[in-house]
Amino acid sequence: MLDEVKISSAIIEKGLRRMREITRVDVVIAGGGPSGLTAAYYLAKDNINVVLFERALKLGGGMPGGGNGYPFIVVQKTALEILKEFDVNFTPYDEEYFIADSLETTAKLTAKAIDAGAKILNLISCEDVVLIDDRVQGVVVISTPIEMAGLHVDPLTVRSKAVIDATGHSSEVTRTLVKKGGVRLNTETGGVVGEKPMWVDFAETTIIENTKEVYPGLFVCGMAANAVFGGPRMGPIFGGMFLSGKEVARIVKESL
Ligand code: 48H
């Protein structure tokens, strides 16, 4: 006979163990879009203890929606090695542009990151950072439904050696640090410079240069990197996101 209470107990026990496991980790990633998932995979693959928090119910950020709802993404030649690493199928459009299914890519990035050992928690928002001795040393997390309901409920804290802001256009973690910490970032203005209008070619090259430590302990990748350092947007081409995720994993690993 199947037992209702056993099912609940199994989930509660596993869930509590998971939460306990992730209160002190090597790396926290805020945001489960293409760049955050790629970073999670490359860190976990090298045995780094990494947890990724995603505010939404689903993973993938802006990727599953493809371009204007057509479920496809374009990936340029220089990023094909990453699609291959994730076993994503792709078809050439011409010599430079390749097309992948946005849902398949989302599913495979997610599965590979988890298989490599990354812990991924959805429905959790990073609402603040831990700032001690002028260094980001973790994040403050709250359950998304509590956040959405606007309830006055205190959050929990996760300590880490590095935090990666992979929150996309909003670059929310970095903005929160500036707003609340009153700190000066490693940017031209000392603050979040802000995303510039569309310029695909420049956006896709500068995103790699913008993938870096923006404040001691805090790294930016993906669209957040261009938003923080003032790079342009690029539309539904995703090579830059994958390359940036891989690059931030490399830089963070070096810093540990
Ligand atoms: C937890 C959070 C929080 C938070 C947000 O937007 P994303 O897909 O980010 P990237 O940078 O990996 O990819 C960007 C790409 O999808 C895109 O938008 C492109 C290429 N645009 C070009 C253009 O011209 O428009 O994913 C970010 C994720 C989302 O899933 C959010 O829900 C999540 O981060 N998130 N998670 N705590 N505080 N804020």
Side-chain angles (χ1 to χ4, degrees):
M1 269 266 275
L2 294 173
D3 176 353
E4 295 79 6
V5 171
K6 257 198 179 160
I7 297 166
S8 298
S9 301
I11 289 172
I12 291 166
E13 282 165 28
K14 185 72 182 166
L16 286 178
R17 222 175 303 136
R18 171 55 54 88
M19 289 307 287
R20 186 72 192 83
E21 277 166 14
I22 56 93
T23 49
R24 201 178 284 277
V25 293
D26 292 327
V27 183
V28 164
I29 301 176
S35 67
L37 288 170
T38 306
Y41 167 77
Y42 281 105
L43 285 165
K45 192 172 163 238
D46 280 358
N47 296 316
I48 309 284
N49 188 5
V50 56
V51 62
L52 183 154
F53 296 112
E54 168 53 53
R55 167 179 283 146
L57 180 58
K58 66 162 184 65
L59 276 299
M63 190 161 58
N68 197 30
Y70 295 115
F72 297 100
I73 55 169
V74 168
V75 178
Q76 62 273 51
K77 204 172 177 178
T78 47
L80 276 191
E81 46 152 323
I82 300 186
L83 281 190
K84 288 180 191 159
E85 174 85 15
F86 284 99
D87 296 325
V88 174
N89 295 294
F90 55 84
T91 49
Y93 183 67
D94 67 15
E95 278 182 11
E96 175 59 31
Y97 301 90
F98 296 81
I99 307 169
D101 184 300
S102 62
L103 295 166
E104 179 194 345
T105 312
T106 301
K108 285 186 171 164
L109 258 61
T110 307
K112 284 266 185 179
I114 293 173
D115 283 350
K119 295 177 186 83
I120 299 185
L121 282 88
N122 60 344
L123 289 175
I124 295 194
S125 294
C126 300
E127 65 154 47
D128 204 345
V129 295
V130 179
L131 182 64
I132 300 174
D133 293 336
D134 300 325
R135 186 176 179 85
V136 172
Q137 304 203 27
V139 290
V140 177
V141 295
I142 187 86
S143 165
T144 300
I146 293 176
E147 179 185 57
M148 286 175 77
L151 299 173
H152 185 170
V153 176
D154 270 345
L156 297 174
T157 301
V158 174
R159 291 289 299 264
S160 64
K161 295 174 190 154
V163 172
I164 299 175
D165 183 352
T167 60
H169 296 269
S170 66
S171 52
E172 214 175 292
V173 174
T174 311
R175 282 184 194 274
T176 302
L177 170 67
V178 172
K179 190 168 147 208
K180 296 189 63 186
V183 305
R184 211 182 147 73
L185 302 175
N186 171 29
T187 62
E188 209 181 296
T189 61
V192 173
V193 181
E195 180 187 306
K196 299 286 184 292
M198 181 85 87
W199 181 1
V200 180
D201 196 55
F202 185 51
E204 287 288 284
T205 47
T206 200
I207 198 163
I208 307 305
E209 289 153 35
N210 292 337
T211 298
K212 54 189 168 192
E213 191 169 23
V214 68
Y215 188 78
L218 179 63
F219 299 75
V220 286
C221 72
M223 210 52 232
N226 270 10
V228 167
F229 285 96
R233 68 188 302 184
M234 69 294 285
I237 184 162
F238 278 74
M241 300 303 130
F242 304 140
L243 291 165
S244 172
K246 186 175 180 184
E247 173 65 3
V248 83
R250 187 188 69 76
I251 302 170
V252 166
K253 253 178 280 168
E254 259 181 29
S255 81
L256 291 176

XYZ file of all heavy atoms in Angstrom, residues 127-197:
521
model
N 18.194 37.880 -2.512
C 17.675 39.237 -2.307
C 18.722 40.188 -1.749
O 18.497 41.393 -1.686
C 16.433 39.221 -1.406
C 16.696 38.767 0.018
C 15.688 39.317 1.014
O 14.490 39.240 0.737
O 16.129 39.825 2.070
N 19.866 39.661 -1.333
C 20.902 40.526 -0.762
C 22.221 39.744 -0.792
O 22.229 38.547 -1.105
C 20.530 40.881 0.690
C 21.166 42.184 1.167
O 22.103 42.659 0.502
O 20.726 42.708 2.207
N 23.303 40.426 -0.458
C 24.591 39.726 -0.354
C 25.082 39.797 1.085
O 24.621 40.627 1.865
C 25.667 40.349 -1.288
C 25.298 40.182 -2.737
C 25.900 41.813 -0.943
N 26.030 38.916 1.410
C 26.738 39.006 2.685
C 27.992 39.821 2.388
O 28.786 39.432 1.532
C 27.137 37.598 3.197
C 27.899 37.711 4.515
C 25.913 36.708 3.346
N 28.143 40.960 3.041
C 29.302 41.835 2.803
C 30.064 41.987 4.113
O 29.591 42.657 5.035
C 28.810 43.196 2.287
C 29.875 44.225 1.939
C 30.735 43.749 0.775
C 29.229 45.568 1.584
N 31.223 41.341 4.183
C 32.022 41.382 5.409
C 33.448 41.784 5.036
O 34.028 41.227 4.093
C 32.036 40.000 6.116
C 30.606 39.578 6.490
C 32.921 40.042 7.365
C 30.495 38.164 7.059
N 33.982 42.749 5.757
C 35.361 43.215 5.514
C 35.580 43.546 4.033
O 36.558 43.094 3.416
C 36.382 42.141 5.955
C 36.363 41.938 7.466
O 35.948 42.863 8.177
O 36.745 40.838 7.918
N 34.684 44.306 3.449
C 34.806 44.758 2.055
C 34.930 43.604 1.070
O 35.622 43.715 0.045
C 36.018 45.704 1.874
C 35.896 46.934 2.731
O 34.752 47.405 2.910
O 36.920 47.421 3.255
N 34.276 42.501 1.352
C 34.288 41.366 0.441
C 32.919 40.696 0.454
O 32.330 40.498 1.518
C 35.372 40.364 0.892
C 35.543 39.247 -0.067
C 36.675 38.282 0.290
N 36.670 37.243 -0.735
C 37.278 37.335 -1.895
N 38.032 38.368 -2.164
N 37.166 36.387 -2.811
N 32.421 40.343 -0.731
C 31.161 39.598 -0.813
C 31.455 38.160 -0.393
O 32.323 37.502 -0.972
C 30.575 39.666 -2.240
C 29.382 38.732 -2.371
C 30.171 41.103 -2.574
N 30.730 37.699 0.615
C 31.035 36.380 1.181
C 29.805 35.472 1.233
O 29.753 34.538 2.033
C 31.628 36.535 2.580
C 32.859 37.421 2.585
C 33.780 37.169 3.766
O 33.823 36.082 4.311
N 34.518 38.187 4.154
N 28.844 35.762 0.364
C 27.663 34.900 0.312
C 26.441 35.686 -0.114
O 26.538 36.848 -0.521
N 25.303 35.016 -0.043
C 24.046 35.668 -0.440
C 22.969 35.436 0.620
O 23.060 34.523 1.433
C 23.517 35.142 -1.802
C 24.382 35.593 -2.951
C 23.345 33.640 -1.787
N 21.956 36.276 0.528
C 20.793 36.170 1.406
C 19.651 35.692 0.522
O 19.389 36.287 -0.533
C 20.487 37.552 2.020
C 19.239 37.485 2.888
C 21.685 38.047 2.822
N 19.013 34.602 0.904
C 18.007 34.001 0.018
C 16.632 33.952 0.673
O 16.512 33.804 1.893
C 18.411 32.570 -0.432
C 19.655 32.604 -1.295
C 18.589 31.630 0.748
N 15.632 34.067 -0.171
C 14.246 34.007 0.295
C 13.437 33.200 -0.713
O 13.699 33.265 -1.918
C 13.671 35.446 0.478
C 12.284 35.438 1.128
C 13.604 36.207 -0.835
C 12.300 35.423 2.624
N 12.490 32.470 -0.220
C 11.607 31.698 -1.083
C 10.806 32.650 -1.997
O 10.257 33.647 -1.527
C 10.680 30.893 -0.165
O 9.608 30.411 -0.889
N 10.776 32.333 -3.283
C 10.106 33.235 -4.242
C 8.639 33.517 -3.892
O 8.205 34.673 -3.975
C 10.221 32.655 -5.672
O 11.599 32.533 -5.999
C 9.533 33.535 -6.694
N 7.843 32.497 -3.506
C 6.452 32.814 -3.164
C 6.336 33.813 -2.007
O 5.445 34.670 -2.018
C 5.863 31.453 -2.776
C 6.725 30.456 -3.463
C 8.087 31.056 -3.521
N 7.252 33.733 -1.047
C 7.224 34.707 0.059
C 7.574 36.090 -0.480
O 6.928 37.090 -0.164
C 8.222 34.287 1.178
C 7.744 33.000 1.844
C 8.385 35.396 2.201
C 8.696 32.438 2.896
N 8.600 36.120 -1.345
C 9.003 37.397 -1.958
C 7.846 37.996 -2.759
O 7.518 39.178 -2.633
C 10.205 37.149 -2.877
C 10.713 38.388 -3.584
C 11.822 38.062 -4.587
O 11.591 37.235 -5.490
O 12.908 38.638 -4.475
N 7.196 37.138 -3.557
C 6.108 37.633 -4.420
C 4.910 38.127 -3.618
O 4.224 39.062 -4.020
C 5.656 36.522 -5.375
C 6.648 36.267 -6.485
S 6.164 34.866 -7.486
C 4.873 35.607 -8.461
N 4.674 37.481 -2.481
C 3.529 37.896 -1.660
C 3.839 39.174 -0.875
O 2.950 39.758 -0.263
C 3.158 36.763 -0.700
N 5.096 39.588 -0.904
C 5.483 40.806 -0.199
C 5.366 40.663 1.311
O 5.126 41.641 2.019
N 5.513 39.435 1.785
C 5.372 39.199 3.221
C 6.649 39.591 3.967
O 7.755 39.422 3.443
C 5.070 37.712 3.480
C 3.773 37.198 2.854
C 3.665 35.687 3.016
C 2.568 37.889 3.498
N 6.480 40.079 5.164
C 7.645 40.439 5.972
C 8.148 39.180 6.685
O 7.774 38.896 7.816
C 7.252 41.524 6.990
C 8.416 42.032 7.770
N 8.349 43.125 8.583
C 9.698 41.600 7.845
C 9.526 43.333 9.145
N 10.358 42.414 8.720
N 8.956 38.416 5.967
C 9.522 37.182 6.518
C 11.031 37.275 6.369
O 11.522 37.604 5.283
C 9.006 35.944 5.743
C 9.664 34.668 6.256
C 7.492 35.837 5.834
N 11.758 36.992 7.429
C 13.219 37.074 7.350
C 13.789 35.952 6.482
O 13.286 34.831 6.483
C 13.832 37.021 8.753
C 13.979 38.418 9.328
O 13.884 39.389 8.551
O 14.173 38.554 10.547
N 14.854 36.268 5.745
C 15.464 35.296 4.818
C 16.485 34.394 5.510
O 16.695 34.502 6.715
C 16.164 36.211 3.828
C 16.560 37.393 4.654
C 15.532 37.565 5.715
N 17.132 33.535 4.726
C 18.230 32.692 5.211
C 19.526 33.133 4.527
O 19.492 33.846 3.524
C 17.947 31.217 4.889
C 16.703 30.625 5.578
C 16.431 29.213 5.070
C 16.863 30.623 7.098
N 20.641 32.664 5.059
C 21.935 33.100 4.537
C 22.773 31.911 4.076
O 22.778 30.868 4.721
C 22.702 33.856 5.653
O 21.908 34.958 6.053
C 24.039 34.354 5.162
N 23.458 32.112 2.971
C 24.364 31.091 2.434
C 25.743 31.720 2.310
O 25.890 32.765 1.664
C 23.869 30.598 1.054
C 24.867 29.648 0.431
C 22.503 29.950 1.180
N 26.740 31.097 2.937
C 28.100 31.635 2.861
C 28.862 30.934 1.739
O 28.702 29.735 1.513
C 28.843 31.412 4.195
C 28.314 32.255 5.346
C 28.651 33.730 5.200
N 30.083 34.000 5.166
C 30.802 34.350 6.234
N 30.246 34.461 7.411
N 32.096 34.598 6.114
N 29.715 31.717 1.033
C 30.503 31.147 -0.058
C 31.796 31.934 -0.234
O 31.915 33.056 0.253
C 29.708 31.179 -1.368
O 29.457 32.517 -1.732
N 32.735 31.312 -0.963
C 34.002 31.999 -1.237
C 33.851 32.962 -2.402
O 34.614 33.906 -2.548
C 35.083 30.960 -1.556
C 35.382 30.067 -0.365
C 36.365 28.958 -0.766
C 36.463 27.933 0.353
N 36.842 26.613 -0.150
N 32.897 32.667 -3.284
C 32.648 33.543 -4.436
C 31.169 33.517 -4.776
O 30.487 32.517 -4.556
C 33.466 33.063 -5.638
N 30.689 34.639 -5.304
C 29.305 34.740 -5.777
C 29.356 35.168 -7.240
O 30.112 36.077 -7.600
C 28.500 35.782 -4.957
C 27.128 36.018 -5.572
C 28.356 35.336 -3.501
N 28.550 34.494 -8.062
C 28.459 34.876 -9.478
C 27.085 35.478 -9.731
O 26.053 34.847 -9.467
C 28.662 33.650 -10.400
C 30.055 33.045 -10.184
C 28.462 34.045 -11.862
C 30.309 31.754 -10.971
N 27.075 36.713 -10.225
C 25.817 37.351 -10.604
C 25.509 36.952 -12.047
O 26.120 37.457 -12.989
C 25.934 38.876 -10.478
C 24.618 39.586 -10.806
O 23.679 38.917 -11.281
O 24.538 40.818 -10.591
N 24.546 36.025 -12.206
C 24.119 35.580 -13.544
C 22.630 35.898 -13.692
O 21.871 35.116 -14.253
C 24.380 34.089 -13.710
N 22.234 37.068 -13.164
C 20.803 37.406 -13.144
C 20.318 38.073 -14.433
O 19.183 38.537 -14.498
C 20.453 38.308 -11.932
O 21.224 39.511 -12.024
C 20.731 37.609 -10.615
N 21.176 38.148 -15.442
C 20.726 38.667 -16.738
C 20.622 40.183 -16.770
O 21.345 40.884 -16.056
N 19.699 40.666 -17.610
C 19.573 42.118 -17.848
C 19.502 42.936 -16.549
O 20.029 44.035 -16.478
C 18.313 42.409 -18.668
C 18.342 41.834 -20.050
N 18.823 42.519 -21.148
C 17.945 40.634 -20.522
C 18.713 41.767 -22.240
N 18.179 40.608 -21.881
N 18.855 42.397 -15.548
C 18.641 43.190 -14.317
C 19.909 43.332 -13.477
O 20.001 44.263 -12.679
C 17.537 42.552 -13.463
O 17.963 41.291 -12.986
N 20.855 42.458 -13.666
C 22.109 42.418 -12.868
C 21.808 42.760 -11.402
O 22.457 43.600 -10.787
C 23.166 43.362 -13.452
O 22.664 44.657 -13.650
N 20.851 42.035 -10.909
C 20.229 42.386 -9.630
C 21.157 42.293 -8.409
O 21.091 43.144 -7.526
C 19.064 41.407 -9.437
C 17.905 41.999 -8.728
C 16.754 40.997 -8.689
O 16.182 40.703 -9.747
O 16.451 40.521 -7.594
N 22.005 41.286 -8.403
C 22.867 41.101 -7.228
C 23.859 42.262 -7.130
O 24.080 42.839 -6.064
C 23.595 39.737 -7.312
C 24.600 39.584 -6.190
C 22.575 38.596 -7.266
N 24.428 42.621 -8.287
C 25.410 43.705 -8.294
C 24.738 45.036 -7.944
O 25.275 45.837 -7.177
C 26.092 43.795 -9.675
O 26.521 42.488 -10.047
C 27.272 44.737 -9.646
N 23.549 45.236 -8.491
C 22.820 46.481 -8.180
C 22.500 46.576 -6.685
O 22.582 47.647 -6.083
C 21.508 46.554 -8.975
C 21.721 46.956 -10.413
C 20.391 47.113 -11.149
N 20.608 47.165 -12.583
C 20.885 48.273 -13.260
N 20.959 49.420 -12.628
N 21.081 48.231 -14.566
N 22.145 45.454 -6.102
C 21.832 45.450 -4.667
C 23.068 45.783 -3.845
O 22.999 46.548 -2.879
C 21.268 44.062 -4.249
O 20.116 43.803 -5.026
C 20.920 44.015 -2.777
N 24.210 45.211 -4.263
C 25.462 45.496 -3.548
C 25.761 47.000 -3.574
O 26.109 47.594 -2.559
C 26.621 44.705 -4.176
C 28.013 45.102 -3.682
C 28.187 44.739 -2.203
C 29.099 44.433 -4.517
N 25.599 47.611 -4.754
C 25.908 49.034 -4.886
C 24.933 49.863 -4.046
O 25.327 50.761 -3.296
C 25.836 49.465 -6.372
C 25.962 50.976 -6.507
C 26.915 48.766 -7.180
N 23.661 49.521 -4.174
C 22.617 50.301 -3.507
C 22.742 50.223 -1.979
O 22.710 51.237 -1.291
C 21.257 49.741 -3.944
C 20.081 50.586 -3.530
C 18.822 50.128 -4.248
C 17.628 50.347 -3.340
N 16.548 49.422 -3.596
N 22.922 48.998 -1.485
C 22.918 48.844 -0.034
C 24.303 48.961 0.593
O 24.443 49.449 1.702
C 22.293 47.493 0.349
C 20.832 47.405 -0.052
C 20.169 46.188 0.506
C 20.154 46.228 2.025
N 19.628 44.960 2.572
N 25.320 48.512 -0.169
C 26.678 48.509 0.394
C 27.387 49.836 0.188
O 28.403 50.114 0.826
N 26.861 50.649 -0.745
C 27.493 51.928 -1.033
C 28.934 51.766 -1.507
O 29.777 52.627 -1.273
N 29.201 50.656 -2.206
C 30.588 50.365 -2.598
C 30.897 50.902 -3.988
O 29.990 51.247 -4.748
C 30.843 48.841 -2.590
C 30.483 48.233 -1.254
C 30.077 48.155 -3.719
N 32.163 50.953 -4.330
C 32.611 51.330 -5.666
C 33.012 50.069 -6.420
O 33.843 49.289 -5.948
C 33.828 52.253 -5.529
C 33.930 53.242 -6.627
C 35.130 54.152 -6.592
N 35.490 54.437 -7.974
C 34.802 55.228 -8.784
N 33.743 55.851 -8.345
N 35.171 55.399 -10.047
N 32.390 49.878 -7.581
C 32.696 48.696 -8.390
C 33.915 48.944 -9.260
O 34.304 50.094 -9.502
C 31.511 48.346 -9.298
C 30.155 48.066 -8.647
C 29.099 47.853 -9.725
C 30.227 46.852 -7.734
N 34.409 47.844 -9.814
C 35.528 47.887 -10.736
C 35.059 48.260 -12.155
O 35.395 47.609 -13.121
C 36.144 46.463 -10.679
C 37.170 46.214 -11.707
O 37.842 47.151 -12.122
N 37.310 44.959 -12.136
N 34.213 49.295 -12.266
C 33.705 49.726 -13.574
C 34.155 51.165 -13.832
O 34.624 51.843 -12.909
C 32.164 49.700 -13.629
O 31.672 50.631 -12.653
C 31.593 48.322 -13.336
N 33.938 51.610 -15.063
C 34.295 52.975 -15.475
C 33.732 54.046 -14.532
O 34.399 55.009 -14.201
C 33.634 53.138 -16.849
C 34.272 54.048 -17.824
C 33.402 54.037 -19.088
O 33.300 52.962 -19.727
O 32.820 55.101 -19.402
N 32.491 53.847 -14.102
C 31.826 54.863 -13.275
C 31.858 54.535 -11.786
O 31.494 55.363 -10.969
C 30.342 54.966 -13.678
O 29.736 53.676 -13.440
C 30.165 55.339 -15.139
N 32.230 53.303 -11.473
C 32.182 52.870 -10.074
C 30.829 52.281 -9.713
O 30.652 51.691 -8.658
N 29.858 52.450 -10.616
C 28.527 51.881 -10.380
C 28.164 50.924 -11.497
O 29.035 50.517 -12.273
N 26.890 50.580 -11.590
C 26.415 49.751 -12.711
C 26.223 50.687 -13.899
O 25.397 51.590 -13.855
C 25.092 49.038 -12.341
C 24.510 48.330 -13.546
C 25.316 48.059 -11.194
N 26.996 50.476 -14.947
C 26.995 51.431 -16.074
C 25.663 51.360 -16.826
O 25.106 52.378 -17.226
C 28.187 51.159 -17.024
C 28.198 52.158 -18.177
C 29.492 51.214 -16.257
N 25.137 50.152 -17.010
C 23.841 50.005 -17.697
C 24.000 49.477 -19.110
O 24.961 49.827 -19.816
N 23.055 48.622 -19.480
C 23.083 47.977 -20.808
C 22.846 48.995 -21.926
O 22.028 49.884 -21.788
C 21.975 46.924 -20.798
C 21.827 46.136 -22.046
C 20.581 45.241 -21.949
O 20.460 44.480 -20.989
O 19.733 45.351 -22.857
N 23.568 48.791 -23.034
C 23.420 49.684 -24.195
C 22.518 49.023 -25.248
O 22.286 47.815 -25.204
C 24.792 49.982 -24.794
C 25.747 50.690 -23.841
C 25.351 52.148 -23.665
C 26.341 52.918 -22.800
N 26.374 52.534 -21.389
N 22.012 49.824 -26.227
C 21.154 49.240 -27.266
C 21.862 48.160 -28.092
O 23.067 47.958 -27.973
C 20.789 50.445 -28.142
C 21.026 51.622 -27.286
C 22.162 51.273 -26.369
